[in-house]
Amino acid sequence: MTELGRGQDVSLETARRFSVAPMIDWTDRHCRYLHRLLTRRGLLFTEMITTGAVIHGDTERHLRFDPAEQPVALQLGGSDPADLAAATRQGDLYGYDEINLNVGCPSDRVQSGKFGACLMAEPDLVAECVRAMRSATDKPVTVKCRIGIDDQDIEESLDRFADKMAEAGVAALYVHARKAWLQGLSPKENRTIPPLNYPRVYRLRQRLAPLPMMINGGIETFEQIDEHLQHMDGVMLGRAAYHNPMMLAEVDQRLFGDEPSTLTLAEIIEAMADYAEAQLQTGTRLNNIARHMLGLANGRPGARQFRQILSVDACKPKAGPEVFMHALSVVEERAEAVAS
């Protein structure tokens, strides 16, 4: 990665002020490379990777990343303490800055494997997992959770869960301010239907201070971010950051006090073209990179055609970085036409 987007030498505690959430099938290493071009300060997360994939699968494919992505956290999914310790050791070897345990994903596949949000009902087991992970690394071990599941009383059960995490030595908590309904709602519905309860997360953070705590769920604007930072140590954005990646170019100025970004769309596309050129030599298909770039031109003349070119042309046999440059040229030409 060029100096254009290389991650700053920023402390993990500072980076947690803004993070991009782990999202299955989305926040892979190509996505994180793009996001790091846009923010040099925030904390990036991998997708959730199961312990089985790390221990028994293609470890190199799952865990490799460009050091320029740092600071970057590895999120693991699992519920067996020994397996989580083994996967944590692997993450430590690859140089991740933080190891995070997923206790928030509500998908059926995750439930059947007894990990994710269903673990909110087993705080003692999760605490054992955290202790096992901590024994395997000197890096911070953190947990991402919901405020509760199903019919749990979110006052009593969330306090009990968080207290167990603190006793186990968790370094920080990331709390999605919604319950997960494991029966009756799909994973997609679980992202929108259960009501947000930010005040409950604020109270938890106040009670457990100084344990660092970040809030997640339904956050889309910098105005909302500013409000949450009055109460929390950091904010975590998911789909808003993914679908509108250019908002990340404002993060370093608005949240970390840097000078305003001078980054242009052309510079981003050119950097991604260089990245793609190198990745294609290793067998990566262009569409695996292009799919994360669809929102870069949002709000600009020609944005629809930009997305179409990246969606269609990047899938063609032997597609190369020229696809990115073609998409850019369409936006630039439309901008010139509007200006004239």
Side-chain angles (χ1 to χ4, degrees), residues 45-99:
F45 275 75
T46 68
E47 309 168 79
M48 182 189 70
I49 304 172
T50 65
T51 54
V54 173
I55 299 170
H56 306 296
D58 186 342
T59 304
E60 172 70 10
R61 180 173 69 84
H62 288 300
L63 295 188
R64 74 179 185 272
F65 67 95
D66 190 311
E69 296 171 29
Q70 292 177 304
V72 59
L74 167 65
Q75 187 182 68
L76 294 174
S79 60
D80 181 271
D83 285 351
L84 281 163
T88 296
R89 278 189 285 272
Q90 288 294 327
D92 202 23
L93 289 173
Y94 275 81
Y96 284 95
D97 298 279
E98 174 179 318
I99 313 294

Coordinates of all heavy atoms in Angstrom, one line a residue, residues 45-99:
F45 N -11.9 -4.5 11.2 CA -12.2 -5.9 11.7 C -12.2 -6.8 10.5 O -12.7 -6.5 9.4 CB -13.5 -6.0 12.4 CG -13.4 -5.6 13.9 CD1 -13.3 -4.3 14.3 CD2 -13.5 -6.6 14.9 CE1 -13.2 -3.9 15.6 CE2 -13.4 -6.3 16.2 CZ -13.3 -4.9 16.6
T46 N -11.8 -8.1 10.7 CA -12.0 -9.1 9.8 C -13.5 -9.5 9.8 O -14.3 -9.1 10.7 CB -11.2 -10.4 10.1 OG1 -11.7 -11.0 11.3 CG2 -9.7 -10.1 10.3
E47 N -13.9 -10.3 8.8 CA -15.2 -11.0 9.0 C -15.1 -11.9 10.2 O -14.0 -12.2 10.7 CB -15.4 -11.9 7.8 CG -15.3 -11.3 6.4 CD -15.3 -12.3 5.3 OE1 -16.4 -12.8 5.0 OE2 -14.2 -12.6 4.8
M48 N -16.2 -12.4 10.7 CA -16.1 -13.5 11.7 C -15.6 -14.7 11.0 O -16.1 -15.2 10.0 CB -17.5 -13.8 12.3 CG -17.4 -14.9 13.4 SD -19.0 -15.5 13.9 CE -19.6 -16.4 12.5
I49 N -14.5 -15.3 11.6 CA -13.9 -16.5 11.1 C -14.0 -17.6 12.2 O -13.7 -17.4 13.4 CB -12.4 -16.3 10.8 CG1 -12.3 -15.1 9.8 CG2 -11.8 -17.5 10.2 CD1 -10.9 -14.7 9.6
T50 N -14.6 -18.7 11.9 CA -14.8 -19.8 12.9 C -13.5 -20.4 13.3 O -12.5 -20.5 12.5 CB -15.8 -20.9 12.3 OG1 -15.2 -21.5 11.2 CG2 -17.1 -20.3 11.9
T51 N -13.5 -21.0 14.5 CA -12.3 -21.7 14.9 C -12.0 -22.8 14.0 O -10.8 -23.1 13.8 CB -12.5 -22.1 16.4 OG1 -13.7 -22.9 16.5 CG2 -12.6 -21.0 17.3
G52 N -13.0 -23.5 13.5 CA -12.8 -24.7 12.7 C -12.1 -24.3 11.4 O -11.2 -25.0 10.9
A53 N -12.5 -23.1 10.8 CA -11.8 -22.6 9.6 C -10.3 -22.3 9.8 O -9.5 -22.6 9.0 CB -12.5 -21.4 9.1
V54 N -10.0 -21.8 11.0 CA -8.7 -21.4 11.4 C -7.8 -22.6 11.6 O -6.7 -22.8 11.1 CB -8.6 -20.5 12.6 CG1 -7.2 -20.2 13.0 CG2 -9.3 -19.1 12.3
I55 N -8.4 -23.6 12.4 CA -7.6 -24.7 12.8 C -7.5 -25.8 11.8 O -6.5 -26.4 11.5 CB -8.2 -25.3 14.1 CG1 -8.2 -24.3 15.2 CG2 -7.5 -26.6 14.5 CD1 -9.0 -24.7 16.5
H56 N -8.6 -26.0 11.1 CA -8.7 -27.2 10.1 C -8.8 -26.7 8.7 O -8.6 -27.6 7.8 CB -9.9 -28.1 10.5 CG -9.9 -28.5 11.9 ND1 -9.0 -29.3 12.4 CD2 -10.8 -28.2 12.9 CE1 -9.3 -29.6 13.7 NE2 -10.4 -28.9 14.0
G57 N -9.0 -25.5 8.4 CA -9.1 -25.0 7.0 C -7.8 -24.4 6.5 O -6.7 -24.7 6.9
D58 N -8.0 -23.6 5.5 CA -6.9 -22.9 4.8 C -6.5 -21.7 5.7 O -7.0 -20.6 5.4 CB -7.2 -22.5 3.4 CG -6.1 -21.9 2.6 OD1 -5.1 -21.5 3.3 OD2 -6.2 -21.9 1.4
T59 N -5.7 -21.9 6.7 CA -5.4 -20.8 7.6 C -4.8 -19.6 6.9 O -5.2 -18.4 7.2 CB -4.4 -21.3 8.7 OG1 -4.9 -22.5 9.3 CG2 -4.1 -20.2 9.7
E60 N -3.9 -19.8 6.0 CA -3.3 -18.7 5.3 C -4.3 -17.8 4.5 O -4.3 -16.6 4.6 CB -2.3 -19.2 4.3 CG -1.7 -18.2 3.3 CD -0.8 -17.1 4.0 OE1 -0.4 -17.4 5.2 OE2 -0.4 -16.1 3.4
R61 N -5.3 -18.5 3.9 CA -6.3 -17.7 3.1 C -7.2 -17.0 4.1 O -7.6 -15.8 3.8 CB -7.2 -18.7 2.3 CG -8.3 -18.0 1.5 CD -9.0 -19.0 0.6 NE -9.8 -20.0 1.4 CZ -11.0 -19.8 1.8 NH1 -11.6 -18.6 1.6 NH2 -11.7 -20.7 2.4
H62 N -7.5 -17.5 5.2 CA -8.4 -16.9 6.2 C -7.7 -15.7 7.0 O -8.4 -14.7 7.3 CB -9.0 -17.9 7.2 CG -10.0 -18.8 6.6 ND1 -11.1 -18.4 6.0 CD2 -10.0 -20.2 6.5 CE1 -11.8 -19.5 5.6 NE2 -11.1 -20.6 5.9
L63 N -6.5 -15.9 7.3 CA -5.8 -15.0 8.2 C -4.9 -14.0 7.6 O -4.5 -13.0 8.3 CB -5.1 -15.7 9.3 CG -6.0 -16.6 10.3 CD1 -5.2 -17.1 11.4 CD2 -7.2 -15.8 10.8
R64 N -4.4 -14.2 6.4 CA -3.4 -13.3 5.9 C -4.0 -11.9 5.6 O -5.2 -11.8 5.3 CB -2.8 -13.8 4.6 CG -3.7 -13.7 3.3 CD -2.9 -14.3 2.2 NE -3.6 -14.1 0.9 CZ -4.4 -15.0 0.4 NH1 -4.7 -16.1 1.1 NH2 -5.0 -14.8 -0.8
F65 N -3.2 -10.9 5.8 CA -3.6 -9.5 5.6 C -2.4 -8.7 5.3 O -1.3 -9.0 5.6 CB -4.4 -8.9 6.8 CG -3.6 -8.7 8.0 CD1 -3.1 -7.5 8.3 CD2 -3.5 -9.8 9.0 CE1 -2.4 -7.3 9.5 CE2 -2.8 -9.6 10.1 CZ -2.2 -8.3 10.4
D66 N -2.6 -7.5 4.7 CA -1.6 -6.6 4.4 C -1.3 -5.8 5.7 O -2.2 -5.3 6.3 CB -2.0 -5.6 3.3 CG -0.8 -4.8 2.8 OD1 -0.1 -4.2 3.6 OD2 -0.7 -4.7 1.5
P67 N 0.0 -5.8 6.1 CA 0.3 -5.1 7.4 C -0.1 -3.6 7.3 O -0.4 -3.0 8.4 CB 1.9 -5.2 7.4 CG 2.2 -6.4 6.6 CD 1.2 -6.5 5.5
A68 N -0.3 -3.0 6.1 CA -0.8 -1.6 6.1 C -2.2 -1.5 6.5 O -2.7 -0.4 6.7 CB -0.6 -1.1 4.6
E69 N -2.9 -2.6 6.7 CA -4.3 -2.5 7.2 C -4.3 -2.2 8.6 O -5.4 -1.8 9.2 CB -5.0 -3.9 7.0 CG -5.2 -4.3 5.5 CD -5.7 -5.7 5.5 OE1 -6.4 -6.2 6.4 OE2 -5.4 -6.4 4.5
Q70 N -3.3 -2.4 9.3 CA -3.3 -2.2 10.8 C -3.6 -0.7 11.2 O -3.2 0.2 10.4 CB -2.0 -2.7 11.4 CG -1.8 -4.2 11.3 CD -0.5 -4.7 11.8 OE1 0.6 -4.2 11.3 NE2 -0.5 -5.6 12.7
P71 N -4.2 -0.6 12.3 CA -4.7 -1.6 13.3 C -5.9 -2.4 12.8 O -6.8 -1.8 12.3 CB -5.0 -0.8 14.5 CG -5.4 0.6 14.0 CD -4.5 0.8 12.8
V72 N -5.8 -3.7 12.9 CA -6.8 -4.6 12.5 C -7.1 -5.7 13.5 O -6.1 -6.2 14.1 CB -6.5 -5.2 11.1 CG1 -5.2 -6.0 11.1 CG2 -7.7 -6.0 10.6
A73 N -8.4 -6.0 13.8 CA -8.7 -7.0 14.8 C -9.3 -8.2 14.1 O -10.0 -8.1 13.1 CB -9.8 -6.4 15.7
L74 N -8.9 -9.4 14.6 CA -9.5 -10.6 14.2 C -10.7 -11.0 15.0 O -10.6 -11.1 16.2 CB -8.4 -11.7 14.3 CG -8.8 -13.2 14.2 CD1 -9.3 -13.4 12.7 CD2 -7.7 -14.1 14.5
Q75 N -11.8 -11.2 14.3 CA -13.0 -11.7 15.1 C -13.2 -13.2 14.8 O -13.2 -13.7 13.7 CB -14.3 -11.0 14.6 CG -15.4 -11.5 15.6 CD -16.8 -10.9 15.2 OE1 -17.3 -11.2 14.2 NE2 -17.3 -10.0 16.1
L76 N -13.3 -13.9 16.0 CA -13.4 -15.4 15.9 C -14.8 -15.8 16.3 O -15.5 -15.1 17.2 CB -12.4 -16.0 16.9 CG -10.9 -15.9 16.6 CD1 -10.1 -16.5 17.7 CD2 -10.6 -16.6 15.2
G77 N -15.3 -16.9 15.8 CA -16.6 -17.5 16.2 C -16.3 -18.9 16.7 O -15.6 -19.7 16.1
G78 N -16.8 -19.1 17.9 CA -16.6 -20.5 18.5 C -17.1 -20.5 19.9 O -17.5 -19.4 20.5
S79 N -17.2 -21.7 20.5 CA -17.6 -21.7 21.9 C -16.8 -22.8 22.7 O -17.0 -23.0 23.9 CB -19.1 -22.1 22.0 OG -19.3 -23.4 21.4
D80 N -15.8 -23.4 22.1 CA -14.9 -24.3 22.8 C -13.7 -23.6 23.2 O -12.9 -23.1 22.3 CB -14.6 -25.5 21.8 CG -13.7 -26.5 22.5 OD1 -12.4 -26.3 22.5 OD2 -14.2 -27.4 23.2
P81 N -13.4 -23.5 24.5 CA -12.3 -22.7 25.0 C -10.9 -23.2 24.4 O -10.1 -22.3 24.0 CB -12.3 -22.9 26.5 CG -13.7 -23.2 26.8 CD -14.2 -24.0 25.6
A82 N -10.7 -24.5 24.3 CA -9.5 -25.0 23.7 C -9.3 -24.6 22.2 O -8.2 -24.2 21.8 CB -9.4 -26.5 23.9
D83 N -10.4 -24.7 21.5 CA -10.3 -24.3 20.1 C -10.1 -22.8 19.9 O -9.3 -22.4 19.0 CB -11.6 -24.7 19.3 CG -11.7 -26.2 19.1 OD1 -10.7 -26.9 19.3 OD2 -12.8 -26.7 18.7
L84 N -10.8 -22.0 20.7 CA -10.6 -20.6 20.7 C -9.2 -20.2 21.1 O -8.6 -19.3 20.5 CB -11.6 -19.9 21.6 CG -13.0 -19.8 21.0 CD1 -14.0 -19.4 22.1 CD2 -13.0 -18.7 19.9
A85 N -8.6 -20.9 22.0 CA -7.2 -20.6 22.4 C -6.3 -21.0 21.2 O -5.3 -20.2 20.9 CB -6.8 -21.4 23.6
A86 N -6.5 -22.1 20.5 CA -5.7 -22.5 19.4 C -5.8 -21.5 18.3 O -4.8 -21.1 17.6 CB -6.1 -23.9 18.9
A87 N -7.0 -21.0 18.0 CA -7.2 -20.0 16.9 C -6.6 -18.7 17.3 O -6.1 -18.0 16.4 CB -8.7 -19.9 16.6
T88 N -6.7 -18.3 18.5 CA -6.1 -17.1 19.0 C -4.6 -17.1 18.8 O -4.0 -16.1 18.4 CB -6.4 -16.9 20.5 OG1 -7.9 -16.7 20.6 CG2 -5.7 -15.6 21.0
R89 N -4.0 -18.3 19.1 CA -2.5 -18.4 18.9 C -2.2 -18.2 17.4 O -1.2 -17.5 17.1 CB -2.0 -19.8 19.4 CG -1.8 -19.8 20.9 CD -1.1 -21.1 21.3 NE -2.0 -22.3 21.2 CZ -2.8 -22.6 22.2 NH1 -2.7 -22.0 23.4 NH2 -3.6 -23.7 22.1
Q90 N -3.0 -18.7 16.5 CA -2.8 -18.5 15.1 C -2.9 -17.0 14.8 O -2.1 -16.4 14.0 CB -3.7 -19.3 14.3 CG -3.5 -20.8 14.3 CD -2.2 -21.1 13.6 OE1 -1.8 -20.5 12.6 NE2 -1.5 -22.2 14.1
G91 N -3.9 -16.3 15.3 CA -4.1 -14.9 15.0 C -2.9 -14.1 15.6 O -2.5 -13.1 14.9
D92 N -2.4 -14.5 16.7 CA -1.3 -13.8 17.3 C 0.0 -14.0 16.3 O 0.7 -13.0 16.1 CB -1.0 -14.5 18.6 CG -0.2 -13.6 19.5 OD1 -0.2 -12.3 19.3 OD2 0.5 -14.1 20.5
L93 N 0.1 -15.1 15.8 CA 1.3 -15.4 14.9 C 1.2 -14.5 13.6 O 2.2 -14.0 13.1 CB 1.3 -16.8 14.4 CG 1.8 -17.8 15.5 CD1 1.6 -19.2 15.0 CD2 3.2 -17.6 16.0
Y94 N 0.0 -14.2 13.2 CA -0.2 -13.4 12.0 C -0.1 -11.9 12.3 O -0.1 -11.1 11.3 CB -1.6 -13.7 11.3 CG -1.5 -14.9 10.4 CD1 -1.5 -16.2 10.9 CD2 -1.3 -14.7 9.0 CE1 -1.4 -17.3 10.0 CE2 -1.2 -15.8 8.1 CZ -1.3 -17.1 8.7 OH -1.1 -18.2 7.8
G95 N -0.1 -11.5 13.5 CA 0.1 -10.1 13.9 C -1.1 -9.3 14.1 O -1.0 -8.0 14.0
Y96 N -2.2 -9.8 14.3 CA -3.4 -9.0 14.6 C -3.3 -8.2 15.8 O -2.6 -8.6 16.8 CB -4.7 -9.9 14.7 CG -5.2 -10.4 13.3 CD1 -4.8 -11.6 12.8 CD2 -6.0 -9.6 12.5 CE1 -5.2 -12.1 11.5 CE2 -6.4 -10.0 11.2 CZ -6.0 -11.2 10.8 OH -6.4 -11.7 9.5
D97 N -3.9 -7.0 15.9 CA -3.7 -6.1 17.0 C -4.6 -6.5 18.2 O -4.4 -6.1 19.3 CB -4.0 -4.7 16.6 CG -3.0 -4.2 15.5 OD1 -1.9 -3.8 15.9 OD2 -3.3 -4.3 14.3
E98 N -5.7 -7.2 17.8 CA -6.8 -7.5 18.8 C -7.5 -8.8 18.4 O -7.6 -9.0 17.2 CB -7.8 -6.3 18.9 CG -9.0 -6.6 19.8 CD -9.9 -5.3 19.9 OE1 -9.4 -4.2 20.0 OE2 -11.1 -5.5 19.8
I99 N -7.9 -9.6 19.4 CA -8.6 -10.8 19.0 C -10.0 -10.6 19.7 O -10.1 -10.4 20.9 CB -8.0 -12.1 19.6 CG1 -6.5 -12.1 19.2 CG2 -8.7 -13.3 19.0 CD1 -6.2 -12.2 17.8

